[in-house]
Amino acid sequence: MADIGSPPGFAHFVSLHRPALREPQHHAASVVPREPAAPAVDGVRTVLRFEGAVVLAVALVGYAQFGMGWGVFALWLLAPDLSLLGYLAGPRVGAALYNAAHALIGPVLLLAFGVFAAQPWAVAGGLIWLARVGLDHALGFGLKYATGFASTHLGRIGRADPW
């Protein structure tokens, strides 16, 4: 029978079947978040950074062939970094804008549009943007997590916490 003041019907039944509580764990590892094992992270990070260097090299060679001059290249190379202004609205918005400007999908789509629509400005823009993404990934600046600017898919940026 239901007690006075308890939820009626199904809600009462559900409240009686609570999941068992886990025993608290007091390990040092549960207090400090652990990073994955170093060899796997380093190996994957190395491959991804090498991939970024290859993207950068291919974009530079392509721009040398089909570009609009190195002055235009230098002018637009830093344009994706305007997405950093999103961090003024918080880490979630900043990460979303940064990732939109630093993922490969945008420059590849712009480049494809330029090739198929015979638009030289789009080819040049796609190659510049692709070079920038490749440069960032080669230097270890990966796509951001919403937890903060320093948390990337290529590992943490900057010095490790001393704590």
Side-chain angles (χ1 to χ4, degrees), residues 45-142:
R45 185 179 309 149
T46 301
V47 169
L48 291 173
R49 290 181 73 173
F50 180 70
E51 180 182 68
V54 169
V55 167
L56 172 62
V58 169
L60 288 173
V61 169
Y63 191 82
Q65 288 290 321
F66 305 107
M68 303 178 127
W70 293 106
V72 171
F73 184 89
L75 180 67
W76 288 103
L77 186 65
L78 298 177
D81 283 343
L82 292 174
S83 64
L84 291 171
L85 294 174
Y87 278 96
L88 295 174
R92 184 172 301 278
V93 173
L97 290 176
Y98 183 92
N99 291 343
H102 290 84
L104 290 171
I105 192 166
V108 168
L109 288 175
L110 183 60
L111 183 59
F113 169 75
V115 169
F116 293 122
Q119 297 293 322
W121 64 268
V123 171
L127 289 169
I128 294 169
W129 194 0
L130 204 56
R132 179 51 197 238
V133 171
L135 176 65
D136 279 359
H137 291 189
L139 293 176
F141 297 105

